[in-house]
Amino acid sequence: MDDMTPDTPVGSVETGETGEPRVPYRLFALKDKDTFLVADAFGDVLGAADGLFHDDTRLLSKLRLLLGNRSPALLSAAVSQDNVFFTSHATNEPLPALGGAAAPHGAIHVERKRFLWDQRLYERLRFVNYSRDMVILPVSLEYDADFHDMFEVRGSKRPGGRGRVLPAEMNGRSVTYAYDGLDGVRRTSIISFSEPPGRLGPQRADFMFMLTPETHFDLYIEVGVEHAHAPTRERWRAAAARARVDMRKRRRRGARLHSSGRLFNDWLEKSRADLALLTTEFATGPYPYAGIPWFSTPFGRDAIITAWQVLWIEPSLAKGVLGYLAEHQAEEVSAFRDSAPGKIMHETRKGEMTALGELPFGRYYGGVDTTPLFVALACAYAERTGDLAFIEGLWEPLLAAIAWIEHFGDSDGDGLIDYARGLDSGLSNQNWKDSEDSVFHEDGKFPDGPIAVVEVQGYAFAAFKGMADLAERRGEPENAERWRAKAEHLRQQVETKFWMEDKGFYAMAVDGHGKPCRVKGSNPGHLLFCGLPSPDRAKKVAETLLSAAFHNGFGVRTLAQGEPRFNPMSYHNGSVWPHDTAICAMGLARYGQRDGVVEMTSGLFETAVHYEMRLPELFCGFPRLPGEPPVAYPVACLPQAWAAGSAFMMLQACLGITIDGWRGEVHLTDPRLPIGIDNLQIDGLRIGAALTDITFEHVGAHVAAHTSKHSQVPILIRR
């Protein structure tokens, strides 16, 4: 994402007033548009990586529930399958006698249920007395709002200081926080209760509830940026219904998938729900935010790859991504923003620090791969849909983007697409492995720039080829011929400058002196995805990616075991990223490595099972051991858009399915089903104006495919 990789622990250790240590707990995330919440299994916000955020500002840095001045005992916690509700179940520790019988441990059940809707947090606390005695229950909520910028939460220091936090204002059953930022913007956070507390302070509210046997009491809480009516049961239910309907609408985009495997279906459904959760609707269409908590904002590269992962079943996402990025295309040269005319955005932010120019990420263009990926996705979208009308409307941005590739993208004129950041505030590495130590020579030393990483050449190759095809359709034979020549020249450059004959693999990069970084990373798997290598070299790359040095049993490592700087616990130098594995799998499928694709799909599916059907941004690259799960990377985003999209790209690679939108045909190449799956149904697959259903099932040693009886869409199968 960017070189400010998070170092805040996922979980926190707090000491309550009782002196009891709080151990780290897993974090849970909810999101609605530009508002998201991260809290622990209790539902508490304790101020490490957690909080309620809106427009890259933390509006709630603490929200902690206490019963009798102690944290309750946790029973369970989960987010609903559709990602709308978080629910935590807990019970009381022994309570003091307050005018009645002392409640023993386990007498009170506490259900904490919450959701986000329209920039507000809605929460219901339900207390049920299961004892035979009346219980007087002391309930306290601790809260605070620090208004930290997202980059402050991630560890950035602000030498120029911060704005001013105003004194909290209490008003019967609400507390209002306000912050006057250095950017001249006042940000507010308002906490409201359905019941007036017995005591209300700037950081704590105390209640006393009388619970008769086998009865319950509900307390409603809302947190938002604006004042609203007092929380009530009716407001909670109405907002919950709207949130659920909206999520159902987002989840129903595209074709539906169903297999004979219950757990496999759960993986597909959870992946689709995660994509729906992360997708925000703009005027240009749906756009998937990258991930929670660190990257809940539009990123260029992540959105393009996510849209490509689901393009075969849901092309509307690609259309929305392309439209948004075209509107935010660079028009000027800026060293601070790493921009130049035609370049496609890397990320955009709305917080105070970027508004002030303390960091360049308000609208930042420091990604060397985003522009060729943008062009390549547009060409893939056209091939998938035959939607030439949309491409016509996008043609000027595509011309500007391809011009950037041809001119600014090759800064030293060596025929390769390269990068070098404009200022030290930008990203030092500007490919998808953008941590500062991810590109190096075989002696471990970092290369001088400008740096040309190998996968970006593949993206540019695909962009030139795709533009040539589109130019031909538009009646521009000269452009078609020129771009095909560009693609072929780039292919020859890669085969000459990156290929390591002694290692049977492509170098990770070429530095500013023309010297290859003779290191084996997963990068060449992306070359296979783009179809650049010759078949014999592709076979050698595929064999290496499937070897134990790369494939750890769950996925493909970003760096081969045994290479310099290899560390299975690193961000990019030996970890496993599901999206990277999926792209490699599509590359293998393209070159006929069908068994390897099925093996990779099995590994990622089994990883998802260990993570409750939700693939994380990345996990550690330790070798798989019998009976042991994959080792978690402690600060991985969860959910993450291109991790969720990986499920669908892996399935596409297995099925060998491509769709020719120009001819209205489905093409299948040696289709396979994932291990343990006997049949799979695709319903409502849109091809042009037609809808079709396709069933895959085992017939002897092969997988057969057939459409519904009334389908007018032909299927062409190649073994």
Side-chain angles (χ1 to χ4, degrees):
M1 300 295 176
D2 63 46
D3 63 355
M4 302 177 64
T5 49
D7 54 11
T8 307
V10 181
S12 51
V13 179
E14 291 280 323
T15 303
E17 295 179 16
T18 61
E20 297 173 351
R22 285 287 297 278
V23 299
Y25 281 91
R26 172 186 165 197
L27 296 182
F28 294 80
L30 298 174
K31 176 187 172 293
D32 178 63
K33 303 178 182 67
D34 288 312
T35 304
F36 71 90
L37 173 72
V38 179
D40 68 13
F42 290 86
D44 288 342
V45 169
L46 299 177
D50 42 355
L52 177 67
F53 295 82
H54 176 69
D55 285 349
D56 290 315
T57 300
R58 184 158 63 185
L59 302 183
L60 194 64
S61 54
K62 188 172 187 179
L63 183 63
R64 186 179 183 188
L65 173 66
L66 301 172
L67 305 181
N69 219 31
R70 301 178 68 181
S71 294
L74 182 67
L75 300 175
S76 70
V79 172
S80 59
Q81 179 73 5
D82 62 3
N83 283 328
V84 174
F85 294 103
F86 164 81
T87 306
S88 176
H89 294 277
T91 188
N92 65 293
E93 299 287 6
L95 296 173
L98 297 172
H105 169 75
I108 307 297
H109 173 236
V110 183
E111 181 194 68
R112 197 171 187 180
K113 198 175 192 74
R114 61 164 62 125
F115 63 94
L116 297 178
W117 175 249
D118 197 21
Q119 304 181 44
R120 295 185 74 78
L121 165 65
Y122 292 82
E123 179 161 326
R124 184 187 69 195
L125 288 166
R126 172 164 288 176
F127 307 97
V128 183
N129 179 9
Y130 284 102
S131 75
R132 300 181 65 183
D133 302 307
M134 183 186 73
V135 172
I136 299 177
L137 179 66
V139 175
S140 300
L141 284 157
E142 298 177 340
Y143 39 77
D144 203 358
D146 61 10
F147 296 99
H148 279 181
D149 186 280
M150 170 57 76
F151 288 98
E152 288 183 276
V153 177
R154 293 172 59 183
S156 292
K157 305 302 180 186
R158 301 185 65 182
R162 305 185 73 245
R164 184 169 69 99
V165 177
L166 280 64
E169 297 181 0
M170 283 71 69
N171 184 18
R173 63 179 72 187
S174 69
V175 179
T176 299
Y177 294 101
Y179 170 74
D180 287 335
L182 297 178
D183 57 352
V185 176
R186 171 166 289 188
R187 296 167 172 86
T188 57
S189 179
I190 302 153
I191 306 171
S192 305
F193 306 100
S194 59
E195 299 291 325
R199 181 168 54 192
L200 181 65
Q203 294 181 317
R204 178 168 169 140
D206 295 303
F207 302 84
M208 196 75 72
F209 301 131
M210 185 176 295
L211 299 178
T212 56
E214 299 181 1
T215 60
H216 76 269
F217 182 84
D218 292 342
L219 175 67
Y220 294 92
I221 305 167
E222 292 183 24
V223 185
V225 297
E226 297 178 348
H227 284 284
H229 293 292
T232 62
R233 175 175 179 268
E234 290 70 29
R235 281 178 56 83
W236 194 91
R237 293 185 66 179
R242 290 194 292 270
R244 180 150 266 174
V245 167
D246 180 70
M247 181 62 77
R248 187 180 301 123
K249 178 182 176 182
R250 283 185 275 158
R251 290 180 67 193
R252 287 181 174 176
R253 288 194 181 107
R256 299 173 300 280
L257 306 172
H258 186 80
S259 79
S260 59
R262 182 179 61 82
L263 289 178
F264 195 81
N265 291 337
D266 288 346
W267 181 32
L268 296 178
E269 284 302 309
K270 191 61 178 177
S271 298
R272 174 156 281 184
D274 281 353
L275 289 177
L277 174 73
L278 292 167
T279 297
T280 296
E281 195 74 31
F282 293 125
T284 47
Y287 197 100
Y289 284 9
I292 299 174
W294 311 115
F295 309 115
S296 186
T297 190
F299 272 77
R301 175 195 301 125
D302 299 63
I304 290 169
I305 290 177
T306 301
W308 209 325
Q309 289 171 327
V310 300
L311 178 60
W312 67 287
I313 57 169
E314 188 187 346
S316 65
L317 196 61
K319 188 174 183 179
V321 167
L322 292 166
Y324 180 88
L325 293 177
E327 283 196 355
H328 293 78
Q329 194 169 27
E331 297 178 348
E332 62 182 8
V333 174
S334 167
F336 180 64
R337 300 194 183 279
D338 273 318
S339 69
K343 200 173 186 184
I344 297 299
M345 181 195 81
H346 171 69
E347 71 175 289
T348 182
R349 297 281 186 174
K350 297 180 179 178
E352 179 186 8
M353 293 178 69
T354 53
L356 291 168
E358 295 177 26
L359 293 168
F361 305 117
R363 189 179 293 180
Y364 182 59
Y365 292 86
V368 67
D369 49 3
T370 311
T371 307
L373 279 170
F374 168 81
V375 177
L377 176 65
C379 299
Y381 170 83
E383 179 71 22
R384 164 62 180 87
T385 63
D387 185 0
L388 195 56
F390 176 73
I391 296 299
E392 288 292 333
L394 201 68
W395 195 246
E396 288 303 317
L398 288 173
L399 289 178
I402 206 76
W404 180 89
I405 297 170
E406 292 181 279
H407 303 295
F408 292 99
D410 181 9
S411 67
D412 57 6
D414 66 352
L416 300 175
I417 314 304
D418 55 44
Y419 65 86
R421 65 179 171 184
L423 297 177
D424 288 346
S425 58
L427 304 182
S428 55
N429 283 317
Q430 299 190 356
N431 58 323
W432 87 261
K433 298 178 185 178
D434 54 11
S435 49
E436 61 184 5
D437 63 346
S438 65
V439 181
F440 48 89
H441 284 292
E442 59 185 334
D443 60 2
K445 293 180 180 179
F446 298 127
D448 294 329
I451 298 168
V453 286
V454 69
E455 71 273 18
V456 174
Q457 317 313 313
Y459 306 151
F461 170 80
F464 284 130
K465 280 194 65 180
M467 285 294 283
D469 291 343
L470 289 177
E472 205 161 59
R473 289 188 177 276
R474 298 180 79 252
E476 301 176 8
E478 291 182 0
N479 275 337
E481 183 179 352
R482 182 168 64 87
W483 285 325
R484 283 205 180 91
K486 286 272 187 182
E488 178 56 25
H489 177 69
L490 186 54
R491 189 191 69 79
Q492 291 175 4
Q493 289 283 88
V494 172
E495 296 286 37
T496 300
K497 295 181 177 181
F498 287 85
W499 182 251
M500 302 180 291
E501 185 62 38
D502 58 327
K503 298 189 177 188
F505 209 71
Y506 291 93
M508 177 185 289
V510 169
D511 71 9
H513 307 292
K515 182 181 178 181
C517 297
R518 291 173 46 82
V519 176
K520 291 192 292 186
S522 61
N523 313 57
H526 296 226
L527 280 188
L528 303 188
F529 171 72
C530 297
L532 184 148
S534 63
D536 58 327
R537 289 184 175 180
K539 182 179 180 182
K540 292 178 180 178
V541 171
E543 290 171 351
T544 303
L545 290 174
L546 289 167
S547 70
F550 269 111
H551 197 273
N552 77 333
F554 292 110
V556 176
R557 296 185 179 101
T558 49
L559 185 67
Q561 191 170 20
E563 292 294 310
R565 297 189 176 274
F566 173 78
N567 180 351
M569 300 175 290
S570 68
Y571 200 54
H572 287 130
N573 290 338
S575 55
V576 176
W577 289 64
H579 89 277
D580 187 37
T581 297
I583 291 173
C584 290
M586 278 295 287
L588 265 63
R590 182 167 194 153
Y591 285 92
Q593 296 287 337
R594 314 299 299 155
D595 293 337
V597 169
V598 173
E599 178 186 347
M600 283 185 176
T601 303
S602 177
L604 272 193
F605 167 59
E606 288 162 10
T607 300
V609 171
H610 286 295
Y611 287 103
E612 299 180 5
M613 300 305 168
R614 172 182 271 174
L615 285 171
E617 176 189 18
L618 73 156
F619 52 93
C620 292
F622 293 107
R624 181 172 184 169
L625 297 175
E628 295 190 14
V631 178
Y633 185 82
V635 289
C637 285
L638 196 69
Q640 181 86 351
W642 63 12
S646 298
F648 304 102
M649 184 170 268
M650 296 300 296
L651 184 57
Q652 182 185 11
C654 273
L655 298 176
I657 184 171
T658 57
I659 297 166
D660 186 337
W662 303 118
R663 293 186 174 89
E665 298 171 347
V666 175
H667 296 180
L668 302 175
T669 302
D670 190 13
R672 306 288 183 92
L673 285 169
I675 295 172
I677 302 301
D678 295 323
N679 59 74
L680 184 136
Q681 178 82 19
I682 303 174
D683 293 326
L685 185 67
R686 180 168 294 280
I687 302 170
L691 288 175
T692 191
D693 304 333
I694 306 175
T695 300
F696 296 84
E697 57 188 350
H698 282 292
V699 177
H702 296 288
V703 171
H706 56 86
T707 60
S708 51
K709 181 186 299 183
H710 303 293
S711 173
Q712 301 297 312
V713 177
I715 293 183
L716 307 177
I717 302 178
R718 183 176 63 189
R719 299 291 179 187

